[in-house]
Amino acid sequence: MKNIFSILLIALVLFSCNKKEKEVPKQKIEPIVKDFGFVLNSFDVVRDTIKNGDTFGSILEKQNLGINKPFEVIEKVKDSFDLKMIKKGNSFVLLRSKDSQKKLQIFVYQIDRASYYVVDLRNSISVTKKIRPITYRERTIAGALNGSLYESLNKEGANDVLAGKLTKIYAWSIDFFKLQKGDKFGVTFTERFIDDTINDGVDSLKAAFFEYRGKKIYAFPFAQNPNSKNLDYFDEEGKALKSFFLKAPLKFANITSHYSQNRFHPVQMIWKAHKGTDYAAPTGTPIMTTATGIVEQAGFTAGNGNFVKVKHDRTYSTQYLHMSKILVKRGQHVTQGEVIGKVGSTGLATGPHVCYRFWKNGEQVDALKLQLPHSETMDKKNLSRFLAQSKLLKQNLDNIAASKLKNNSN
C-alpha cells in the first residue's frame, strides 16, 4: 500500500510541475521594423513635420548633442545638404539612442514620399541622398455613375487624381454637368508605387471611355511626333477630343438655368430673355475662360455684377457674370482653362453662380447647342500608326470593362 501511495504522490508532483512549466507565458517577440535602410527597433524613433520657424539648426539644438555639436554638424553637411530645402510641412524622423540620454544618432529629412536625405552622426558625420524604388502597375476599372465622378471612381478603388485627369482630357467633348446616374465608364491607367507598397498616385492614362448621350466617347493618348513627349487625346477614329472651346467655365457645378427667350427672372420678378447658362457653385470657385483670347471688358454693372468678357477671334466671344472677384484686366491675353475670376453673387443674383454667355458673329447664342470647331486633327500619315496602337488598347479595355460591369450588375 505504501509503495502505491508513494508512486501516486510522485506522479502528482511531476504532473503539477509539468503544468506550471506549461503555464509560463512565452515572451512576446517584437516584430522587426525596417525603414530608410535602418532597423528602427534599435532606436528611439521620433516622427515630426517641419513647422514655422524650424531650421535644421534649431532641430539639432533641441537634441542632446551638447553646445558645439549642432554647429559642427551644420558646417560639415552644408555643402552636401542644402539647408534651405527644409520646408514647412515636410516630414523628418529622428533616430535616437534607446538609453536615458536619447542622443540623436540619425536625422532623416523626407523631400517627398520617394526621396529623402540621411544625416548620420554616429561615427563621422555623413550625408546621403536616397531614393526609394518606384514600380508601375497597369489597372483597368469600370463602373456606372452613382453620385459624382469622384465618388464613382473612388468606389472602384481609384484616387482623386484620376478624376482630375479625366475631366481635363474630356473637358472639350463631355459636359460633366450632364452626365447621368447609370452612365458607364471604363479606364485603363498606370499607378506608381513606392517600395512596391505605397500608392503614389496615377502616372498615366492608357485608354478610357464614357457613355455620353447614348454614345461611347473613347480617349487614347498619342504623340503625332514619335520623338516628342507631347501627347494629345483622340477617339477611336483618330478625331481630336480637344476643341476650340471648353464645354463649361467650371470644373464641377450644377446648371440651374438654361439659355431661354422667355424666363421668369428670380430677382426682377418679370418674364424676360435669359441669354446665358447659369452654373451654380460655391462662392470662390475658380471660373475658367473656355478658350484663348483677349479680355475685352472687365468691370461692374448693376445687373451683371463683376464680369469679364473675352474676345476669342473674329467670330466668337464669351462673357462671365456675377463674379465675387475679377482676376484679369482689360487687354490681357488669357489662355484656355486660365482662371479669370471667382464665383460670386454680385449684381442681380439670388445666389452664387456664374452666368456664361456666348456670342457668335456678334449675336448671343446658346453655347450648349453649338457645334464648336475642333483643334488640330490627326495627320493622315500618322493615322495607321495610331489605329494600330489604339486597337489593342480598346479591345482590352472593352473586354475588361464588360466583365466588370457584368459582375457589378449581378
Side-chain angles (χ1 to χ4, degrees):
M1 244 348 242
K2 284 184 178 180
N3 289 339
I4 293 171
F5 180 76
S6 299
I7 291 168
L8 288 172
L9 185 63
I10 292 168
L12 184 64
V13 170
L14 289 172
F15 177 77
S16 178
C17 291
N18 244 354
K19 191 175 180 183
K20 285 181 180 177
E21 284 176 12
K22 288 179 182 177
E23 288 176 354
V24 174
K26 291 182 180 180
Q27 189 173 1
K28 192 174 182 180
I29 300 173
E30 185 181 7
I32 301 298
V33 180
K34 295 181 179 181
D35 202 1
F36 310 112
F38 302 101
V39 177
L40 299 189
N41 308 63
S42 305
F43 302 93
D44 174 64
V45 181
V46 177
R47 298 178 184 273
D48 207 342
T49 55
I50 303 296
K51 300 176 181 62
N52 271 334
D54 281 348
T55 63
F56 181 54
S58 69
I59 293 170
L60 293 181
E61 287 169 3
K62 295 175 184 176
Q63 308 308 311
N64 189 16
L65 294 174
I67 298 174
N68 298 321
K69 188 69 172 180
F71 178 76
E72 179 189 341
V73 173
I74 290 170
E75 285 298 306
K76 184 78 175 179
V77 306
K78 66 182 183 182
D79 293 332
S80 49
F81 178 48
D82 185 2
L83 304 180
K84 293 179 181 178
M85 79 168 64
I86 292 184
K87 297 178 181 178
K88 177 185 173 183
N90 279 19
S91 301
F92 67 91
V93 180
L94 305 175
L95 304 183
R96 310 187 302 186
S97 62
K98 296 191 80 169
D99 57 24
S100 59
Q101 289 187 328
K102 296 193 183 301
K103 192 173 181 180
L104 181 63
Q105 307 285 296
I106 295 159
F107 173 83
V108 180
Y109 177 70
Q110 294 183 258
I111 305 168
D112 50 44
R113 293 200 292 182
S115 54
Y116 57 93
Y117 276 93
V118 174
V119 181
D120 195 333
L121 313 177
R122 288 174 297 182
N123 297 316
S124 59
I125 301 166
S126 63
V127 179
T128 310
K129 183 180 180 181
K130 297 187 177 183
I131 298 176
R132 299 181 189 271
I134 305 291
T135 54
Y136 299 88
R137 299 177 199 165
E138 187 174 294
R139 187 153 68 100
T140 296
I141 62 173
L145 286 176
N146 185 11
S148 70
L149 176 61
Y150 282 95
E151 291 169 336
S152 299
L153 289 171
N154 284 336
K155 286 175 185 175
E156 300 302 323
N159 64 25
D160 291 347
V161 174
L162 182 60
K165 282 183 176 290
L166 287 169
T167 54
K168 188 174 181 181
I169 290 166
Y170 281 104
W172 298 270
S173 51
I174 291 179
D175 188 342
F176 281 91
F177 313 124
K178 290 190 173 181
L179 287 175
Q180 298 177 352
K181 182 179 179 179
D183 283 347
K184 297 176 179 62
F185 63 87
V187 192
T188 300
F189 59 102
T190 55
E191 294 175 293
R192 290 186 303 274
F193 286 84
I194 299 170
D195 277 345
D196 210 35
T197 55
I198 303 169
N199 190 319
D200 194 41
V202 176
D203 178 68
S204 60
L205 187 139
K206 299 288 187 182
F209 74 78
F210 270 96
E211 275 189 3
Y212 182 63
R213 295 180 175 178
K215 180 185 176 183
K216 274 187 179 181
I217 300 179
Y218 287 88
F220 301 99
F222 184 72
Q224 297 216 56
N225 179 355
N227 299 319
S228 172
K229 293 182 180 180
N230 294 327
L231 295 173
D232 289 311
Y233 288 83
F234 301 87
D235 68 11
E236 73 274 26
E237 296 176 352
K239 294 177 182 177
L241 291 185
K242 187 174 182 179
S243 75
F244 189 52
F245 285 91
L246 295 174
K247 281 286 186 180
L250 305 177
K251 287 187 176 180
F252 292 99
N254 294 314
I255 294 179
T256 53
S257 184
H258 288 265
Y259 182 98
S260 173
Q261 293 295 340
N262 194 23
R263 183 198 72 157
F264 186 75
H265 197 287
V267 177
Q268 295 177 311
M269 307 299 285
I270 59 173
W271 290 90
K272 60 184 293 188
H274 180 247
K275 295 187 176 182
T277 304
D278 288 348
Y279 293 89
T283 299
T285 300
I287 299 171
M288 304 176 294
T289 178
T290 53
T292 298
I294 302 294
V295 176
E296 192 174 29
Q297 295 176 345
F300 178 88
T301 66
N304 296 341
N306 294 320
F307 75 95
V308 170
K309 188 173 183 181
V310 180
K311 186 174 181 63
H312 304 291
D313 58 15
R314 293 181 180 180
T315 305
Y316 298 105
S317 297
T318 56
Q319 191 179 33
Y320 314 79
L321 313 183
H322 310 302
M323 295 178 171
S324 61
K325 190 174 184 180
I326 297 172
L327 299 178
V328 291
K329 296 178 181 179
R330 184 177 179 182
Q332 181 177 333
H333 180 270
V334 290
T335 57
Q336 186 180 62
E338 184 175 340
V339 177
I340 58 174
K342 300 291 182 72
V343 168
S345 53
T346 56
L348 295 178
T350 57
H353 73 286
V354 57
C355 178
Y356 176 55
R357 295 184 176 180
F358 203 101
W359 279 263
K360 181 178 180 181
N361 294 321
E363 181 183 351
Q364 281 189 262
V365 294
D366 186 351
L368 298 181
K369 293 182 178 179
L370 284 180
Q371 291 293 324
L372 295 169
H374 284 270
S375 62
E376 185 180 353
T377 56
M378 172 78 68
D379 192 317
K380 289 182 179 179
K381 68 180 182 181
N382 294 323
L383 185 58
S384 59
R385 180 166 60 91
F386 167 79
L387 292 175
Q389 179 179 307
S390 61
K391 182 179 179 180
L392 184 59
L393 289 168
K394 180 179 181 297
Q395 187 177 24
N396 289 338
L397 174 61
D398 286 342
N399 289 341
I400 296 173
S403 175
K404 287 181 177 290
L405 288 166
K406 183 179 179 181
N407 291 335
N408 290 343
S409 64
N410 291 336

